[in-house]
Amino acid sequence: MKIISTPIELKEYFKNSNKTLGFVPTMGALHEGHITLIKEARKANEIVVVSIFVNPTQFLKGEDLDKYPRKDDADKKICELSGVDVLFLPEAASIYSDDEVSILAPKVRGFVLEGFSRPGHFNGVLTVVMKLLNIVNPTRAYFGKKDAQQLNLISLMVKQFFMSVEVIGVDTVRENDGLALSSRNIYLTVKERQEALKISASLQCAAKMLTQKIVNSQVIIQKMREHLAPLEIFYVEILNRDFEIIKEVELANSIILVEVKVGKTRLIDNIWL
Ligand code: AMP
């Protein structure tokens, strides 16, 4: 596995390549969710590139940028064992300069849900993803459906900027007890981790209601809120795949999304129906 740390070096490395390239951008502290993205990239492409970059511009003041988990050695091992060809590990100084052109998230879709609780977060996400896609120039880029709003906004950016990369959404990987894997789960105490199971339980409850032909969004949301209590709820929302609020769940076109705070940790999860 080749390790590259600057954009110029990476561009140079692939200058004459005409192989298909699958790209998995991450912030490190890799877990089975990231590994699944890498495996998907491995299946469909001749070359796989993973980036690890804790992007400062997507963290708001007071968020966990400084204490975001960093596990460089373990991450390198995981990438090597997962068959990654190139690991891109840039420093912030090689990605950003003082006077920046940046991408703004759309006014509506970028500032609801997680974008409402973290205003400006998606400006940072879209800007860094644009930069990384331009550096790596992949055939396909892989993102988790767990970050549904992020995936939706990146797909929209790629479409609206007429970019040629294919964006692939990958299903959420969970622990055996239902908790969605996240690098932030390590912040949870044993008790909080137990409390966090309410999130997947609330989503399972929604799925069960659908099997009972209950499709009214408000009825489902109310029941989910009861399941989540007493956690601090940022939102429980039912949207179609264009991220518009819908009164009734439309099968094969809906996403149910949750964001809660468990202790001091903000967790998101969702199901795609
Ligand atoms: P992160 O390192 O948290 O920025 O995540 C990097 C990529 O991995 C993003 O596209 C995430 O959506 C994806 N991802 C994170 N957790 C999971 C998971 N549990 N299952 C599938 N993909 C995930």
Side-chain angles (χ1 to χ4, degrees):
M1 183 176 76
K2 172 95 178 151
I3 297 182
I4 294 182
S5 56
T6 68
I8 292 172
E9 206 190 328
L10 193 115
K11 276 185 164 289
E12 185 62 28
Y13 189 75
F14 286 116
K15 199 171 60 181
N16 298 318
S17 168
N18 50 15
K19 293 190 171 157
T20 53
L21 196 159
F23 177 42
V24 181
T26 80
M27 297 207 300
L30 302 180
H31 52 63
E32 219 33 72
H34 300 111
I35 293 171
T36 303
L37 266 61
I38 296 170
K39 282 186 185 151
E40 289 300 310
R42 191 65 285 168
K43 270 192 247 166
N45 303 277
E46 291 162 283
I47 302 280
V48 175
V49 177
V50 170
S51 66
I52 297 181
F53 179 58
V54 181
N55 172 40
T57 65
Q58 72 188 66
F59 288 78
L60 272 60
K61 264 208 183 86
E63 287 189 348
D64 56 343
L65 173 62
D66 294 333
K67 67 176 178 98
Y68 194 84
R70 286 169 169 84
K71 300 188 171 176
D72 295 353
D73 290 341
D75 287 349
K76 279 181 198 160
K77 262 267 138 348
I78 288 172
C79 286
E80 214 156 16
L81 292 172
S82 309
V84 171
D85 297 293
V86 173
L87 177 58
F88 182 45
L89 287 175
E91 295 288 333
S94 71
I95 298 291
Y96 290 108
S97 51
D98 287 342
D99 197 17
E100 278 281 319
V101 176
S102 55
I103 305 286
L104 295 181
K107 288 193 289 288
V108 179
R109 271 194 237 196
F111 290 86
V112 293
L113 307 175
E114 203 184 354
F116 182 77
S117 4
R118 306 176 72 189
H121 166 69
F122 287 115
N123 296 343
V125 170
L126 292 181
T127 299
V128 80
V129 170
M130 172 66 94
K131 282 173 181 270
L132 291 170
L133 291 175
N134 285 334
I135 295 165
V136 178
N137 195 22
T139 319
R140 302 180 185 86
Y142 295 79
F143 297 91
K145 289 186 179 175
K146 173 173 170 285
D147 296 283
Q149 193 173 8
Q150 169 174 287
L151 173 59
N152 180 274
L153 292 171
I154 290 168
S155 303
L156 195 65
M157 176 177 78
V158 163
K159 184 168 166 230
Q160 291 182 348
F161 282 79
F162 304 99
M163 298 164 75
S164 48
V165 58
E166 188 185 345
V167 173
I168 313 273
V170 179
D171 288 342
T172 301
V173 180
R174 299 174 179 282
E175 304 272 15
N176 287 338
D177 59 10
L179 184 68
L181 292 179
S182 161
S183 306
R184 289 191 166 100
N185 288 351
I186 62 159
Y187 297 153
L188 300 171
T189 64
V190 175
K191 187 162 169 270
E192 286 167 354
R193 199 196 167 291
Q194 204 55 32
E195 284 279 281
L197 292 179
K198 289 188 158 79
I199 304 167
S200 49
S202 75
L203 290 166
Q204 278 158 16
C205 161
K208 187 160 170 228
M209 290 174 88
L210 292 171
T211 65
Q212 296 162 347
K213 306 266 181 302
I214 301 166
V215 290
N216 182 287
S217 298
Q218 276 320 312
V219 173
I220 296 171
I221 288 170
Q222 187 47 42
K223 197 79 194 160
M224 288 178 67
R225 285 182 165 272
E226 287 167 20
H227 265 270
L228 289 164
L231 296 176
E232 182 184 344
I233 300 172
F234 291 102
Y235 58 78
V236 179
E237 207 64 87
I238 301 183
L239 307 178
N240 64 18
R241 301 279 172 95
D242 289 322
F243 258 66
E244 296 155 340
I245 290 180
I246 45 178
K247 291 203 173 106
E248 288 193 347
V249 173
E250 303 159 15
L251 285 180
N253 188 35
S254 306
I255 313 176
I256 305 182
L257 306 101
V258 181
E259 181 176 10
V260 295
K261 205 170 194 180
V262 183
K264 287 185 179 147
T265 308
R266 188 191 287 279
L267 295 175
I268 59 172
D269 200 352
N270 59 64
I271 45 169
W272 295 55
L273 301 157

